[in-house]
Amino acid sequence: MYITINGQNIELAENTTLLDIIKKQDIKTTLYAVELNMKIIPKDKFEETVLNDKDRIEIVHFVGGG
Amino acid sequence: MERYSRNIILEKIGLEGQKKLLDSKVLVAGVGGLGSYVLVNLAGLGIGNIGILDYDVIELSNLNRQFLYNPSQTGKLKTEAAKKRILKFNPDINIETFNTKLNESNYQSIIEKYDIIVDCFDSFESKFLLNDIAVKTSKTLVHGAVSEFKGQVMTVIPGSSACLRCIIPYADLNEYITKGVVSPIVSVIASIEALEVMKLIMGFDGLLTNQLLIFDALKTEFKKLTAERNTNCMVCSGEN
Ligand SMILES: [Zn+2]
């Protein structure tokens, strides 16, 4: 199956979880949220979230200025 | 009331609505970039009671976006300068200033006077503290933040919609933030925050509750992400 992460198409094995794919990302901040198909998935749900074909994932960086 | 005629002429506001706005009590937490634009918008709407909370003084580097102030005021308290400027624009507003840094022990006496808090703070640490305090005191929070060419807004109704910690439970709140930001992104995000305040007071639909609005100015792209309350949230899970 194929998913899109941060605009890039990648091929994944069936039953890959969100945690599997997030672990492989080089995220340089702790202030981020993960969006799956326009929905924010809490970090403690990454492991139970199994990805499906055509899923779209985006790492959303939280900003903190005023 | 003449000065509000363009508000009142709107069917969805009317005289009744204008009275609601005039009776409302809103705290602007931080009066830097976001706070400057939020204050002007609230004064224009006719929010009758406004609190201004900040401990900072005016610096020249503020003036690329904090248009309430002018170069001759450097070193002066932002709260007092902001109050003066806003009262010139709308003398009928009741403004109270709090020249202090919000913390765990002083928030009660400040927050209790207001129904809605607008997050215009300038650090992750202060923003998350404000979120925690809003949840604890059951005050509605309009969160907004900016950096570089991006911004985000989310409204938190404690006990009913997701709070900031539902979305980002574990974070290093002392993480470095770039100080770079341009005025137009600040005014866009601040205006959306002020609109949320208006919608809350008027009871309009379309609030950014359980929704994180993200704006990327370089792509001219708005994104509305769905968020949910986290039943294990360290801050709001006990509230309902
Ligand atoms: Zn929460």
Side-chain angles (χ1 to χ4, degrees):
Chain A
M1 66 172 183
Y2 286 87
I3 63 134
T4 308
I5 179 156
N6 293 334
Q8 280 204 307
N9 246 321
I10 56 168
E11 190 173 4
L12 282 187
E14 297 293 322
N15 295 318
T16 302
T17 68
L18 192 55
L19 185 65
D20 297 330
I21 186 102
I22 294 301
K23 269 196 203 155
K24 288 188 193 141
Q25 305 302 309
D26 181 23
I27 304 172
K28 292 186 174 65
T29 170
T30 59
L31 285 135
Y32 69 95
V34 171
E35 168 217 331
L36 172 63
N37 305 326
M38 300 297 278
K39 192 169 181 284
I40 292 172
I41 309 294
K43 291 186 175 82
D44 57 6
K45 300 264 161 62
F46 287 180
E47 201 171 353
E48 63 192 61
T49 304
V50 178
L51 297 174
N52 295 304
D53 192 35
K54 298 195 177 68
D55 272 349
R56 303 183 67 91
I57 302 164
E58 201 116 4
I59 317 280
V60 178
H61 294 267
F62 223 61
V63 295
Chain B
M1 281 298 185
E2 177 62 28
R3 74 169 293 142
Y4 302 119
S5 61
R6 295 297 193 277
N7 293 349
I8 294 168
I9 205 169
L10 291 162
E11 212 175 301
K12 282 181 87 72
I13 295 182
L15 196 58
E16 282 303 300
Q18 189 61 52
K19 281 181 182 159
K20 273 190 202 167
L21 294 167
L22 287 165
D23 283 341
S24 58
K25 305 179 184 90
V26 179
L27 178 69
V28 178
V31 69
L34 287 175
S36 291
Y37 291 106
V38 165
L39 268 179
V40 173
N41 278 306
L42 298 186
L45 283 165
I47 303 297
N49 306 278
I50 300 177
I52 306 176
L53 168 65
D54 206 311
Y55 63 96
D56 231 348
V57 294
I58 299 158
E59 293 173 48
L60 273 182
S61 64
N62 300 150
L63 300 185
N64 78 323
R65 65 199 184 284
Q66 301 180 20
F67 76 101
L68 292 179
Y69 316 124
N70 61 62
S72 69
Q73 291 174 306
T74 53
K76 297 240 165 71
L77 280 171
K78 287 185 180 176
T79 46
E80 296 309 324
K83 179 180 176 177
K84 229 172 152 181
R85 177 78 191 270
I86 293 299
L87 284 179
K88 241 183 207 169
F89 172 60
N90 190 342
D92 302 329
I93 295 175
N94 169 32
I95 298 181
E96 190 167 351
T97 55
F98 304 93
N99 301 306
T100 182
K101 187 170 180 175
L102 191 70
N103 61 45
E104 284 289 350
S105 54
N106 69 0
Y107 70 83
Q108 211 108 31
S109 59
I110 301 169
I111 301 283
E112 66 184 11
K113 298 180 172 141
Y114 300 94
D115 302 319
I116 300 169
I117 306 168
V118 192
D119 175 9
C120 301
F121 276 160
D122 64 352
S123 71
F124 287 119
E125 204 187 351
S126 55
K127 284 176 180 300
F128 278 79
L129 173 70
L130 192 64
N131 173 77
D132 301 355
I133 288 172
V135 171
K136 254 192 268 185
T137 54
S138 291
K139 299 287 182 183
T140 299
L141 174 72
V142 178
H143 160 78
V146 287
S147 184
E148 300 182 9
F149 305 98
K150 286 183 183 174
Q152 79 223 0
V153 183
M154 184 169 88
T155 293
V156 178
I157 301 181
S160 111
S161 75
C163 82
L164 295 190
R165 302 262 189 194
C166 290
I167 300 181
I168 304 199
Y170 316 106
D172 173 9
L173 299 181
N174 293 312
E175 232 177 74
Y176 173 76
I177 343 181
T178 166
K179 290 201 187 307
V181 66
V182 292
S183 179
I185 185 72
V186 184
S187 57
V188 167
I189 295 300
S191 297
I192 295 170
E193 288 189 279
L195 285 167
E196 288 294 291
V197 172
M198 178 196 74
K199 288 188 273 179
L200 282 160
I201 294 165
M202 298 302 304
F204 292 166
D205 294 333
L207 285 169
L208 290 170
T209 44
N210 289 327
Q211 282 182 318
L212 179 70
L213 179 81
I214 296 172
F215 179 53
D216 183 331
L218 295 183
K219 294 183 188 161
T220 319
E221 180 184 80
F222 280 100
K223 245 180 160 183
K224 243 158 87 171
L225 305 179
T226 308
E228 257 173 29
R229 276 188 85 189
N230 184 348
T231 46
N232 300 318
C233 176
M234 58 164 93
V235 174
C236 78
S237 61
E239 306 282 321
N240 48 53

